Amino acid sequence: MELSSTHFLVVDDDAFLRQATGNMLKAMNVASIREAGDGAQALALVQDDRAQPVHVILCDLNMPGMDGMEFIRHLGETQSTAYVIVMSAHDENLIASVKKMAIAYGVKLLGAVQKPVSSQQIVDLVEKFIPPAPHVVKKASTSPPLAFTLEEILHGIDEGQFEPFYQPKICFKSGNIKGMEALARWIHPTHGVISPYAFIQTLESSGNIDGLTFLILKKAAQACKRMHDEGHFISVSVNLSLNSLGDPLLAEKLTLAVREMELDPKYIVLEITESAAMTEVAQSLENLARLRMRGFGLSIDDYGTGFSNIQQMTRIAFSELKIDQSFVKNCTENKELCVVIRSSIEMSHNLNIECTAEGVETKDDWNTLKNLTCDTAQGYFIARPMNLSAFSDYCHSYTPLFFL
Ligand code: C2E
Ligand code: CA
Ligand code: CA
């Protein structure tokens, strides 16, 4: 993007640095420059649609009031298309985690620069990384992901087009198959196999996730029973939406559904993701305690990506902790990731919980995790999710030697 058509916003609590940055931008002939002394002022400027658009925000991290991190979060919530450049004196680790956070909030972070900022740094980031006219390019990427309406999804469920695929979980020590995770797929008559990212969110936010949960649970229980009949006494993991935990009758309904399939709940693991969104804390805890009492396994999914609710969750007897894939991928080459993994494994073992690593993609990462005494592995290195008949074949021809 050309600097002469780029509108800037400088956010810094230090008036002197703010002005110096503004003067530097002026000398670069940018389209316009506005200034804010903290996150709240900046947000008001971005949201004021009578004002000029903001293309690039130069933002300090450490500010009194709303700091840079909180500002980035709110910016994500407003679905702003502005690019952010973080100005900070902090070290690379902190900048790297701010980058991750920005991505998670859907904010486009161009990069981070040390203060005081130089004009060359701005030129490098803006001209090289921003495509022309960002407000027009917005979301029209080359191949937009398939988007379905709630009606279409519910119709697909009614038509029986949804079914779980299964991905094996392998015991590091023995190399045996311990279990499988049931992952929802929409086998669409015209679009083929559709990933859960295209429908879970819509079902959850409209209060319609339970229909899918019970459908997947019943099929998964049935599949688990079939595996037992074929001589493989494995368990099956099913993803449970946090929203469902607010229903006082949930534990009862899940137990009934599993018993209907003539399976002992001890073969079912319910995976729950940590989240800031949990509202019915007491009811959720009651449901989880009751499910555990009935023999279900309970797993903390995506561990490491969540929020402080996990502290409340530790009151519940979880049986498994799944380290999120973002920590697992390439852990062999990354010391920081290894530190997180090692402490997660240590914590789970101290709590007597099984530790699973998700997203194991390479032999190297398999070896690293094994050396760190992780219990269970799941990932493309072992196998991708597959339909039931392929999974059954996989179990028949499986030989643990490959992994040892
Ligand atoms: P999840 O529960 O964290 O499931 C693991 C996801 O990682 C799956 O994606 C799986 O296919 C993928 N995966 C496994 N191994 C690897 C690997 O080595 N590398 C990479 N890059 N990915 C790997 P999938 O099937 O697309 O599911 C996405 C998410 O959708 C799941 O994440 C889960 O949160 C949600 N989901 C899936 N099925 C259901 C369901 O029945 N109910 C609910 N509520 N959510 C579901
Ligand atoms: Ca899961
Ligand atoms: Ca996960």
Side-chain angles (χ1 to χ4, degrees), residues 238-269:
V238 174
N239 292 285
L240 188 61
S241 166
L242 211 63
N243 307 2
S244 309
L245 286 169
D247 174 3
L249 294 176
L250 180 79
E252 220 52 60
K253 290 182 194 164
L254 290 173
T255 312
L256 267 176
V258 172
R259 295 243 164 92
E260 223 172 80
M261 296 294 146
E262 296 174 344
L263 186 73
D264 188 323
K266 74 176 183 193
Y267 291 108
I268 304 269
V269 181

Side-chain angles (χ1 to χ4, degrees), residues 199-211:
F199 52 84
I200 296 286
Q201 178 65 43
T202 307
L203 289 171
E204 280 184 346
S205 58
S206 62
N208 285 288
I209 191 70
D210 285 356

Side-chain angles (χ1 to χ4, degrees), residues 40-337:
Q41 278 178 25
L43 205 61
L45 281 174
V46 174
Q47 284 176 317
D48 181 3
D49 49 18
R50 291 160 306 168
Q52 273 158 340
V54 175
H55 294 146
V56 177
I57 304 170
L58 285 163
C59 182
D60 185 20
L61 278 188
N62 204 351
M63 294 180 287
M66 188 192 289
D67 68 13
M69 261 91 66
E70 191 183 346
F71 170 65
I72 288 174
R73 165 155 56 84
H74 290 305
L75 196 66
E77 285 162 0
T78 64
Q79 304 192 329
S80 161
T81 53
Y83 289 82
V84 174
I85 296 173
V86 166
M87 303 185 290
S88 173
H90 295 285
D91 66 79
E92 277 176 26
N93 276 346
L94 178 70
I95 303 285
S97 58
V98 172
K99 254 189 189 158
K100 271 200 183 151
M101 182 201 82
I103 293 169
Y105 284 129
V107 170
K108 297 179 286 191
L109 196 67
L110 268 188
V113 291
Q114 298 278 329
K115 290 209 277 187
V117 184
S118 76
S119 46
Q120 191 55 47
Q121 287 173 315
I122 304 292
V123 172
D124 284 350
L125 289 172
V126 173
E127 292 198 335
K128 287 193 188 141
F129 294 112
I130 306 187
H135 54 287
V136 178
V137 180
K138 217 176 166 179
K139 277 188 177 167
S141 64
T142 42
S143 58
L146 291 168
F148 298 96
T149 64
L150 176 62
E151 285 66 37
E152 289 170 321
I153 298 168
L154 292 176
H155 180 71
I157 294 179
D158 280 347
E159 294 286 303
Q161 293 166 358
F162 284 69
E163 65 170 79
F165 272 27
Y166 301 94
Q167 189 179 31
K169 294 171 65 183
I170 307 290
C171 169
F172 273 108
K173 257 195 201 140
S174 67
N176 291 329
I177 304 173
K178 255 187 180 172
M180 54 183 175
E181 178 172 3
L183 294 155
R185 294 289 182 270
W186 182 359
I187 318 296
H188 195 281
T190 48
H191 299 295
V193 179
I194 291 178
S195 121
Y197 295 110
F199 52 84
I200 296 286
Q201 178 65 43
T202 307
L203 289 171
E204 280 184 346
S205 58
S206 62
N208 285 288
I209 191 70
D210 285 356
L212 181 74
T213 306
F214 281 91
L215 186 154
I216 297 293
L217 177 73
K218 285 183 187 174
K219 291 202 177 196
Q222 216 167 17
C224 187
K225 192 127 199 317
R226 168 170 163 186
M227 298 317 298
H228 290 191
D229 292 342
E230 293 177 5
H232 309 288
F233 292 93
I234 61 175
S235 60
V236 65
S237 301
V238 174
N239 292 285
L240 188 61
S241 166
L242 211 63
N243 307 2
S244 309
L245 286 169
D247 174 3
L249 294 176
L250 180 79
E252 220 52 60
K253 290 182 194 164
L254 290 173
T255 312
L256 267 176
V258 172
R259 295 243 164 92
E260 223 172 80
M261 296 294 146
E262 296 174 344
L263 186 73
D264 188 323
K266 74 176 183 193
Y267 291 108
I268 304 269
V269 181
L270 300 168
E271 298 194 355
I272 302 137
T273 304
E274 318 168 54
S275 163
M278 191 161 87
T279 45
E280 313 270 348
V281 175
Q283 186 60 66
S284 302
L285 291 175
E286 183 181 331
N287 264 321
L288 292 172
R290 190 167 291 131
L291 286 165
R292 196 73 188 103
M293 227 165 57
R294 298 276 156 80
F296 286 89
L298 295 180
S299 173
I300 307 169
D301 206 352
D302 303 338
Y303 182 73
T305 60
F307 301 84
S308 57
N309 274 310
I310 202 69
Q311 285 155 6
Q312 285 154 332
M313 305 289 241
T314 49
R315 288 191 230 146
I316 293 296
F318 274 98
S319 49
E320 181 190 43
L321 180 153
K322 286 184 101 167
I323 307 176
D324 189 65
Q325 350 190 326
S326 58
F327 299 101
V328 173
K329 266 180 230 168
N330 301 319
C331 63
T332 309
E333 289 147 31
N334 189 319
K335 267 193 221 135
E336 281 83 17
L337 295 183

